[in-house]
Amino acid sequence: MEKSLCKQLAAIVGQEHCLTSPEELACYSYDASGQAFMPEVVLFPDRATQVAAILRLANQHRFPVVARGAGSGMTGGSLPVRGGVVLACSRMNRIVEIDADNMLCVVEPGVITGELQEAVRHHGLMYAPDPASLKFCTIGGNVAECAGGPSAVKYGVTRDSLLGLEVVLPTGEIMRTGVRTEKGVTGYDLTHLFAGSEGTLGIFTRLILRLLPAPEARTTFLLTLDSLSRATGLVAEIIQSGLSPCTLEYMDKTAISVVADRISLPLPKSTEALLLVELDGSKTEVSDQSRRLLRFLADRKISYRQATDDDEIRELWQARRAISPATFAIRPHKISEDVVVPRSRIPELVRFTTELSQRLELTILTFGHAGDGNIHVNIMLDKTDQAELERALKAREELFTRVLKLQGTLSGEHGIGITKSSFLAQELDPTALALMQKIKNLFDPNDILNPGKIFPRQELQTGDD
Amino acid sequence: MEKSLCKQLAAIVGQEHCLTSPEELACYSYDASGQAFMPEVVLFPDRATQVAAILRLANQHRFPVVARGAGSGMTGGSLPVRGGVVLACSRMNRIVEIDADNMLCVVEPGVITGELQEAVRHHGLMYAPDPASLKFCTIGGNVAECAGGPSAVKYGVTRDSLLGLEVVLPTGEIMRTGVRTEKGVTGYDLTHLFAGSEGTLGIFTRLILRLLPAPEARTTFLLTLDSLSRATGLVAEIIQSGLSPCTLEYMDKTAISVVADRISLPLPKSTEALLLVELDGSKTEVSDQSRRLLRFLADRKISYRQATDDDEIRELWQARRAISPATFAIRPHKISEDVVVPRSRIPELVRFTTELSQRLELTILTFGHAGDGNIHVNIMLDKTDQAELERALKAREELFTRVLKLQGTLSGEHGIGITKSSFLAQELDPTALALMQKIKNLFDPNDILNPGKIFPRQELQTGDD
């Protein structure tokens, strides 16, 4: 990037909000996918008009712009794979409004998810989506990737909490979409087209989000199963029994082992898998649901531990959220997938990953949001071991093929980014894929906003218009 | 339309599934908006490949095609305003699959909503969306308009029950979108872009819909209020109190009067407004919520009737659903709007319509889904009375202006169609409106699918690309 252009960019946001030294740039080059690409400039705009000015300049001079929240994404969505500008949203971090009467809030994209949850809790309200990274990830990134979390089984994913947007289009126009009401069908639903579009269609500058009444009570059960297939088979049974847990998480034996030292509740030696079942709602509702769950467990002779106080609940959650980072104790690298299958097919999926692990001599963990069929599959490896790397890549390929055969989908909440783009065509109808690329081209004719993401590279080159 | 073209169309679906006589065409010329436009041909395809063949021919010969479900739409969405083909979905009316294990179903667009509800009930499941016309409206139309209903306050609108689609694009390609899982973020969310697109972006041939466990119990309360503002003010209070009704409907005095003879529960003479509050869930949950509601009502000295058996509940619902047709007892015509405001602004909106009614000497009823701020405003008139017609049109204009001032939206569930297209630009950001038109043009370059809907006419002519 030419110096004069850098100067123009710095003038938009102010010199003090512009980074260009290699050491500083390096801090904005990576995300949780384990990959890194150096940007040429990092800018910290603090309002929509600055974002618009940056994008207009990008169209004029054809350099890429990539929005970045906390860099906690798992698939490279915020990485500047073609250099250019990283547009960091950390200064646009205001909670603009909490409208408790109408149970909604207006926030800027850089607000940290956990901090929003905390802020609305003071109004007796809840912002439902709870990705594992909620202590540091941001709302803008959550909407861009359509993040999920354990509570999605009851409260839906980020998309379901999104009501409206102020978004800067790749061509630099500032646009408002959506509503401040519970309903709205005036024109096409542009708002939700942006949810999960991985920063390729626009840069959010304000988000209108739905809030819910905070549940009055909560209780957590840890089901200890001595058989993996028993554990996975229970998931659909629990949901069908009329129980409506706000969490139904699953961990296999390897996942348990990496966080075992964080759980003080004693687990039976024979434990092969855990299910974490959380119930929330009014006090009566929670005690009614607890009674039903206990009857369900007694009928099936399933042993459990109940977290009896807030500390125990917190501890279980800390253990659950620590699984992903703690896996690196096993091997230095991993391929981390978040496939989804219909709930009733989870046992088949997990049986398959076990078989895969044995056949390819790899450690493969499975854990995650079993309640909605969203299983995190972590294929552990040492990338410097070429043979192991090849086996791991083969494992991923076979995993995806099987997931699609089970009528599942490649990603429940991490998105496609760069890590899965070469597999996208396996899942999507070619007409749908071509239409998505035409939409991208309509929004971003010069391909300056987060280029190189989602779409398979060769498809981009051979598109017929 | 030339005879030879008609012959080609008939050959696609079979002569016996093609109507061309004026008497037959007339039956497919109108909907619940009270307007009528004659089609040139009505076709009854029974599969996607036939729909595709019709659309390909339409592109070749540039005639309009309009999909039609039950013709129960309120805004002219299914009317052939430019003639051409009405594509009736009544033969594509199969429930293809009910997957009780994974709580979803696959249906064709012509399935009647109420019949789907009945079919899934046998599996202990619920299809939540419940538009007032559920006895005759169809799923395809519900998704096209993003229909709501009383239960939307708890379970969301039709969009929220939609998981995936098989859809024929205006250019004739058959495309699959979405998932059979609870979650999915592979590529752009095309599925939900079709929800509420009013039949302008594609013709659905299969729909994958989310089901929920059927609630175990249900109870209905009729709150009788002697003040209109008291009734409307209660709505936000009820929701904020932590109650989670599956219905929170409101009727003003005029709405009550048109259905009074259908309600056998005696109402106090002083009744100025009714709130219909329904609670559902497990038996314990319903009795807990009932207790809370009764305490809430006692604290505020609000009188109520409780429907104690199924017959009484059914009667209340029949009365509620009969309001819209029964209004014609007042005046022969109406302008029927389904505006939405943030819940806390309902009292202001209703105060305004009362003032409007007095100032413009019109009968204006308000009723509807108060729980989500979606108020049906019926402006009654006799269209043959020119002066009254002008006052009614003025009332509508002032209503829309006020709704937008109250941070509301012009339509919660009826869509824009032809009746509101000239007002769309008042609500939407011009950039958003232009982008929607570009999307329409991308999907349907020859403007053959349901042309003349949603977008303001002059905007279509002056669009800069």
Side-chain angles (χ1 to χ4, degrees):
Chain A
M1 193 173 285
E2 280 175 35
K3 263 211 162 142
S4 67
L5 197 50
C6 267
K7 258 194 175 160
Q8 286 182 68
L9 288 168
I12 293 171
V13 292
Q15 189 60 56
E16 67 278 31
H17 304 300
C18 171
L19 306 179
T20 51
S21 80
E23 311 80 66
E24 291 169 323
L25 297 179
C27 300
Y28 295 84
S29 67
Y30 62 87
D31 72 354
S33 72
Q35 305 195 53
F37 296 86
M38 284 292 271
E40 294 162 78
V41 191
V42 179
L43 301 174
F44 299 82
D46 89 332
R47 70 195 78 137
T49 50
Q50 292 181 354
V51 175
I54 295 164
L55 286 168
R56 282 197 304 270
L57 208 59
N59 276 282
Q60 210 179 318
H61 297 278
R62 306 290 158 93
F63 57 83
V65 177
V66 183
R68 181 184 176 91
S72 56
M74 309 289 278
T75 56
S78 65
L79 299 184
V81 295
R82 297 187 191 164
V85 169
V86 159
L87 191 153
C89 295
S90 49
R91 290 178 68 220
M92 295 189 282
N93 65 345
R94 286 158 283 229
I95 296 177
V96 179
E97 182 190 351
I98 295 175
D99 179 349
D101 287 345
N102 296 300
M103 298 203 287
L104 59 86
C105 64
V106 182
V107 303
E108 291 183 339
V111 169
I112 291 171
T113 309
E115 290 180 7
L116 177 62
Q117 291 186 333
E118 194 55 35
V120 305
R121 201 173 292 142
H122 295 130
H123 298 264
L125 296 169
M126 165 172 75
Y127 173 68
D130 58 349
S133 53
L134 62 86
K135 289 249 165 89
F136 46 94
C137 68
T138 62
I139 293 291
N142 289 177
V143 172
E145 299 295 327
C146 194
S151 82
V153 63
K154 182 167 179 178
Y155 297 110
V157 292
T158 301
R159 180 195 296 131
D160 302 303
S161 290
L162 181 66
L163 293 173
L165 288 172
E166 180 189 78
V167 55
V168 184
L169 294 176
T171 39
E173 297 96 334
I174 302 170
M175 178 175 86
R176 285 187 180 78
T177 69
V179 287
R180 281 181 66 111
T181 48
E182 279 292 306
K183 278 175 170 172
V185 285
T186 47
Y188 300 149
D189 183 0
L190 294 181
T191 307
H192 293 99
L193 185 60
F194 285 99
S197 65
E198 307 194 30
T200 64
L201 297 181
I203 295 181
F204 313 141
T205 47
R206 285 204 176 182
L207 305 101
I208 308 174
L209 303 171
R210 173 182 284 134
L211 303 173
L212 297 169
E216 196 178 65
R218 178 184 299 269
T219 187
T220 307
F221 294 84
L222 193 63
L223 281 44
T224 56
L225 286 304
D226 55 11
S227 140
L228 188 60
S229 65
R230 192 77 199 287
T232 55
L234 268 188
V235 175
E237 268 190 79
I238 289 174
I239 299 286
Q240 280 166 47
S241 75
L243 283 158
S244 172
C246 64
T247 292
L248 180 36
E249 293 287 302
Y250 143 83
M251 310 179 202
D252 74 5
K253 200 178 179 175
T254 318
I256 302 166
S257 72
V258 295
V259 294
D261 56 349
R262 296 166 193 253
I263 305 177
S264 57
L265 282 175
L267 301 179
K269 277 243 163 75
S270 59
T271 305
E272 288 287 324
L274 293 179
L275 288 177
L276 187 66
V277 182
E278 199 162 89
L279 305 167
D280 73 356
S282 71
K283 281 179 193 159
T284 321
E285 209 179 322
V286 169
S287 67
D288 175 47
Q289 290 258 318
S290 297
R291 248 195 322 271
R292 280 166 188 252
L293 177 61
L294 292 175
R295 198 161 54 227
F296 177 95
L297 298 176
D299 287 350
R300 288 161 184 78
K301 300 196 172 41
I302 293 162
S303 52
Y304 68 92
R305 305 279 179 278
Q306 183 168 7
T308 47
D309 61 33
D310 281 356
D311 282 346
E312 279 184 358
I313 293 182
R314 201 167 15 244
E315 185 192 278
L316 283 177
W317 277 107
Q318 275 167 0
R320 162 63 188 87
R321 292 207 179 99
I323 295 176
S324 191
T327 52
F328 293 113
I330 304 175
R331 300 294 283 158
H333 306 114
K334 69 165 145 180
I335 295 175
S336 166
E337 297 305 338
D338 70 316
V339 296
V340 195
V341 291
R343 249 183 319 253
S344 70
R345 318 297 291 269
I346 301 173
E348 288 166 78
L349 176 71
V350 171
R351 227 167 14 242
F352 178 72
T353 60
T354 309
E355 185 268 314
L356 206 54
S357 149
Q358 287 160 357
R359 175 158 51 84
L360 296 175
E361 295 174 32
L362 292 162
T363 300
I364 303 182
L365 291 73
T366 54
F367 63 96
H369 319 312
D372 47 31
N374 188 189
I375 302 294
H376 292 295
V377 179
N378 283 190
I379 304 166
M380 304 310 301
L381 74 154
D382 180 344
K383 279 183 186 171
T384 61
D385 178 340
Q386 189 58 33
E388 191 169 67
L389 177 60
E390 276 166 28
R391 294 201 308 280
L393 292 173
K394 183 165 171 23
R396 174 166 72 166
E397 222 176 287
E398 288 198 35
L399 170 69
F400 285 163
T401 305
R402 182 58 63 107
V403 163
L404 295 177
K405 216 173 140 191
L406 294 172
Q407 300 191 297
T409 177
L410 299 185
S411 177
E413 50 185 29
H414 294 171
I416 299 303
I418 50 175
T419 62
K420 265 173 289 196
S421 57
S422 61
F423 296 97
L424 195 62
Q426 276 185 39
E427 173 169 343
L428 295 185
D429 180 325
T431 304
L433 186 54
L435 190 55
M436 288 176 194
Q437 289 180 284
K438 287 181 193 165
I439 289 176
K440 167 65 176 172
N441 190 52
L442 177 70
F443 278 64
D444 186 10
N446 296 321
D447 200 25
I448 59 102
L449 187 62
N450 209 5
K453 305 297 168 68
I454 302 181
F455 301 110
R457 190 171 292 256
Q458 93 224 49
E459 292 280 333
L460 268 174
Q461 288 164 348
T462 61
D464 57 3
D465 61 34
Chain B
M1 191 173 286
E2 280 175 35
K3 262 212 163 141
S4 66
L5 197 51
C6 266
K7 257 194 175 160
Q8 285 182 69
L9 288 168
I12 293 171
V13 292
Q15 189 60 56
E16 67 279 30
H17 303 301
C18 171
L19 306 179
T20 51
S21 81
E23 311 81 65
E24 290 170 322
L25 296 180
C27 300
Y28 295 84
S29 67
Y30 61 87
D31 74 354
S33 71
Q35 304 193 54
F37 297 85
M38 284 292 271
E40 294 163 78
V41 191
V42 179
L43 301 173
F44 298 82
D46 89 332
R47 71 195 79 136
T49 49
Q50 293 181 353
V51 175
I54 295 165
L55 287 168
R56 282 197 303 270
L57 208 58
N59 277 283
Q60 209 179 318
H61 296 276
R62 304 293 159 92
F63 57 83
V65 177
V66 183
R68 181 184 178 91
S72 56
M74 308 288 278
T75 55
S78 65
L79 299 184
V81 295
R82 297 186 192 163
V85 169
V86 159
L87 191 154
C89 294
S90 48
R91 290 178 68 220
M92 293 188 283
N93 66 344
R94 286 158 284 230
I95 296 176
V96 179
E97 181 188 350
I98 296 175
D99 179 350
D101 287 345
N102 296 300
M103 299 203 286
L104 59 85
C105 63
V106 182
V107 304
E108 291 184 336
V111 169
I112 291 171
T113 309
E115 290 179 6
L116 177 62
Q117 290 186 334
E118 195 55 37
V120 304
R121 200 172 293 139
H122 294 130
H123 298 264
L125 296 169
M126 164 171 76
Y127 172 68
D130 57 350
S133 53
L134 63 86
K135 289 248 164 91
F136 45 95
C137 68
T138 61
I139 293 291
N142 290 176
V143 172
E145 299 295 327
C146 194
S151 81
V153 63
K154 182 167 179 177
Y155 297 109
V157 291
T158 301
R159 181 196 295 130
D160 302 303
S161 290
L162 181 66
L163 293 173
L165 286 173
E166 179 188 80
V167 55
V168 184
L169 293 176
T171 39
E173 296 97 334
I174 301 171
M175 178 176 86
R176 285 187 181 78
T177 69
V179 287
R180 280 181 67 111
T181 49
E182 278 293 305
K183 277 174 170 173
V185 285
T186 47
Y188 299 150
D189 183 0
L190 294 182
T191 307
H192 293 99
L193 186 59
F194 285 100
S197 65
E198 307 194 31
T200 64
L201 297 181
I203 296 181
F204 313 141
T205 46
R206 284 203 178 182
L207 305 100
I208 308 174
L209 303 171
R210 173 182 283 134
L211 303 173
L212 297 170
E216 197 178 63
R218 178 184 299 269
T219 186
T220 307
F221 295 84
L222 194 63
L223 281 45
T224 57
L225 287 304
D226 55 11
S227 140
L228 188 60
S229 64
R230 191 76 199 288
T232 54
L234 269 187
V235 175
E237 268 189 79
I238 290 175
I239 300 287
Q240 279 165 50
S241 74
L243 284 158
S244 172
C246 63
T247 291
L248 181 35
E249 294 285 302
Y250 143 84
M251 311 179 200
D252 74 5
K253 199 178 178 174
T254 317
I256 302 166
S257 72
V258 296
V259 293
D261 56 350
R262 295 166 194 253
I263 305 177
S264 55
L265 282 175
L267 302 179
K269 275 245 162 75
S270 61
T271 305
E272 288 287 323
L274 294 178
L275 288 178
L276 187 67
V277 181
E278 199 162 89
L279 305 168
D280 73 355
S282 71
K283 280 180 194 159
T284 322
E285 208 178 323
V286 168
S287 68
D288 175 46
Q289 289 258 319
S290 298
R291 249 194 322 273
R292 280 166 187 251
L293 177 60
L294 292 175
R295 196 162 56 228
F296 177 94
L297 298 176
D299 288 349
R300 288 160 184 79
K301 300 196 171 43
I302 294 163
S303 52
Y304 67 92
R305 305 277 179 280
Q306 183 168 7
T308 46
D309 60 33
D310 281 356
D311 283 345
E312 279 184 0
I313 293 181
R314 201 169 11 247
E315 184 192 279
L316 284 177
W317 276 108
Q318 276 167 358
R320 163 63 188 87
R321 293 208 180 97
I323 295 176
S324 190
T327 51
F328 293 113
I330 304 175
R331 301 294 282 157
H333 307 114
K334 68 167 146 181
I335 295 175
S336 167
E337 297 305 338
D338 70 315
V339 295
V340 195
V341 291
R343 252 184 316 252
S344 71
R345 317 298 292 269
I346 300 174
E348 288 166 79
L349 176 72
V350 171
R351 223 161 26 236
F352 178 72
T353 60
T354 309
E355 185 268 315
L356 206 54
S357 147
Q358 286 160 359
R359 176 159 50 85
L360 295 175
E361 296 175 31
L362 291 162
T363 300
I364 302 181
L365 291 74
T366 54
F367 62 96
H369 319 311
D372 47 31
N374 188 190
I375 303 293
H376 292 295
V377 179
N378 282 189
I379 304 167
M380 304 309 301
L381 74 153
D382 180 344
K383 278 183 185 170
T384 62
D385 178 339
Q386 189 57 32
E388 191 170 66
L389 177 60
E390 275 167 28
R391 294 201 308 280
L393 292 173
K394 183 165 172 21
R396 175 166 72 165
E397 221 174 289
E398 288 198 36
L399 170 70
F400 285 163
T401 306
R402 182 57 64 107
V403 163
L404 295 177
K405 217 171 139 189
L406 294 171
Q407 300 191 296
T409 177
L410 299 186
S411 178
E413 50 185 30
H414 294 172
I416 300 302
I418 50 174
T419 63
K420 266 173 290 197
S421 56
S422 61
F423 297 96
L424 195 62
Q426 277 185 39
E427 173 169 343
L428 295 184
D429 181 325
T431 304
L433 186 54
L435 190 54
M436 288 176 194
Q437 289 179 284
K438 285 181 194 166
I439 289 175
K440 166 65 176 171
N441 190 53
L442 178 70
F443 278 64
D444 186 11
N446 297 321
D447 200 23
I448 58 104
L449 187 62
N450 209 3
K453 304 297 168 68
I454 302 181
F455 301 110
R457 191 170 291 257
Q458 94 225 47
E459 291 280 332
L460 269 174
Q461 288 164 347
T462 61
D464 57 3
D465 60 34

